[in-house]
């Protein structure tokens, strides 16, 4: 067993240090940068690793422009206007609330403040003070508290519980300010996971969400965490939740990809069997996600999330052409699962991208033959 763990550690070490691969028909091998046989993702117009955007899964130029204004001027008003003009039931509002809350949370971590320094994220405090009835500001504040709890404290501790209880109150306030908005209840899904809501209480919360936005992909992903084995459910409950969502997915909905997320949440911590990613359960989930991607609107804000996870599974399953077909749509942004679970999302994504390029070329592919 000790030898097994040593071999695994060496393999992971080499993957981090040598994210360049050689393409050979006999197999894919890691090599040093500059090797004449190394596959070069730049040949396909892919973004350099250091330029990958780790903030979002895909482009949202309006959000980026507003974030720049808010953080540069420390003025919340542009954020308030953007959220006020964003559809209540849509996926974009949820993603934008998360982005604003995350920006404030990261600012506070970087600049906690002191005697002579203004703390980071001060614009959010001003927003809540000057516009206490603004539903957008209330939702961002609730999500900010949730992110602070997970980032700065440990589940189960008094500190974590106190922040989460405050977040629960903030969710209730945000819900009162926007009765038809599912976002405050979606935020509370994370509170429910952190505070270990009893299953009947969680189901009551879930009913409030599906009454307002029954096909909301972001809400389903947030709820899936609760039902997972590592939190308050089991593998069976998580799979049943995901498969039920996929079965009732309306035409064009990305909910058909939910089983793939359930599989990802229950991947074995140690897996040295390559065929696992070509197994029936994984293959079926991948095909469901590919169907969802083909059927979805090109501007669906959740589309990039599904594509990123598909890259992970397609590369692991050595389905190089299909992996490349996803990469051409998402390259440039890496703020999504599975990359965000690692210490360096851009580096992790770059390794998978290089493997996809090498595998594609090892099987006769080239920039000229890559379909777009």
């Amino acid at each position: 067993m000790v030898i097994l763990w040593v071999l695994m550690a060496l393999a992971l070490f080499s993957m981090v240090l040598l994210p360049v691969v050689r393409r050979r028909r006999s197999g894919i091998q890691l090599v040093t940068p500059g090797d004449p046989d190394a596959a070069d993702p730049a040949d396909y117009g892919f973004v350099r690793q250091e330029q990958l955007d780790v903030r979002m899964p895909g482009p949202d130029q309006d959000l980026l422009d507003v974030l720049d204004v808010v953080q540069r001027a420390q003025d919340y008003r542009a954020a308030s206007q953007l959220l006020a003009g964003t559809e209540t039931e849509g996926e974009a509002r949820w993603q934008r609330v998360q982005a604003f809350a995350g920006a404030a949370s990261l600012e506070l971590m970087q600049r906690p403040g002191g005697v002579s320094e203004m703390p980071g994220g001060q614009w959010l405090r001003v927003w809540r003070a000057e516009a206490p009835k603004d539903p957008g500001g209330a939702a961002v504040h609730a999500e900010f508290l949730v992110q602070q709890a997970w980032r700065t404290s440990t589940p189960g501790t008094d500190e974590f519980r106190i922040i989460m209880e405050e977040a629960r109150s903030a969710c209730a306030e945000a819900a009162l300010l926007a009765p038809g908005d599912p976002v405050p209840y979606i935020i509370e899904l994370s509170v429910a996971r952190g505070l270990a809501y009893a299953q009947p209480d969680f189901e009551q919360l879930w009913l409030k969400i599906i009454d307002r936005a029954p096909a909301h992909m972001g809400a389903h992903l947030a709820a899936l965490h609760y039902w997972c084995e590592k939190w308050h459910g089991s593998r069976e409950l998580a799979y049943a939740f995901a498969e039920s969502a996929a079965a009732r997915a309306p035409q064009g909905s990305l909910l058909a990809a939910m089983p793939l997320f359930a599989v990802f949440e229950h991947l074995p911590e140690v897996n040295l069997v390559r065929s696992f990613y070509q197994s029936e359960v994984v293959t079926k989930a991948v095909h469901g996600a590919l169907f969802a991607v083909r059927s979805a609107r090109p501007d669906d804000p959740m589309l990039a999330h599904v594509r990123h996870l598909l890259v992970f599974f397609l590369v692991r399953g050595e389905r190089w052409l299909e992996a490349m077909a996803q990469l051409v749509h998402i390259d440039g942004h890496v703020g999504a699962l599975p990359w965000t679970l690692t210490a360096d999302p851009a580096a992790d994504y770059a390794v998978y991208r290089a493997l996809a390029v090498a595998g594609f070329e090892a099987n006769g592919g080239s920039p000229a033959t890559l379909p777009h």
Side-chain angles (χ1 to χ4, degrees), residues 122-144:
Q122 182 65 20
W123 53 269
L124 179 54
R125 297 181 184 85
V126 174
W127 189 354
R128 294 298 295 130
E130 292 186 354
K133 301 300 183 183
D134 183 345
V140 172
H141 178 238
E143 174 64 15
F144 167 81

Side-chain angles (χ1 to χ4, degrees), residues 30 45 50 65 97 145 156 160 184 187 201 203 218 236 251-252 257 273 290-291 315 318 356:
L30 291 170
E50 60 270 23
D65 292 343
V97 165
L145 291 170
F160 181 84
I187 297 170
D201 295 331
E203 288 168 349
E236 292 73 24
Q251 179 65 30
V273 182
L290 288 170
F291 170 78
V315 168
E318 299 184 359

Side-chain angles (χ1 to χ4, degrees), residues 101 105-106 108-109 141-168 187 190-195 231:
S105 180
L106 289 174
L108 184 59
M109 288 180 64
H141 178 238
E143 174 64 15
F144 167 81
L145 291 170
V146 167
Q147 293 193 26
Q148 283 294 100
W150 291 110
R151 282 190 172 127
T152 64
S153 55
T154 303
T157 63
D158 287 343
E159 180 185 11
F160 181 84
R161 180 183 56 77
I162 289 169
I163 301 174
M164 278 298 190
E165 290 287 1
E166 186 180 356
R168 176 155 60 179
I187 297 170
S190 188
V191 177
R193 177 162 54 98
L195 294 181
W231 287 105

Side-chain angles (χ1 to χ4, degrees), residues 183-203:
V183 168
Y185 299 104
I186 299 173
I187 297 170
E188 192 179 348
L189 291 173
S190 188
V191 177
R193 177 162 54 98
L195 294 181
Y197 280 22
Q199 288 189 7
D201 295 331
F202 184 87
E203 288 168 349

Side-chain angles (χ1 to χ4, degrees), residues 33 54 106 210 215 222 232 247 271:
V54 301
L106 289 174
I210 61 174
H232 310 297
N271 175 49

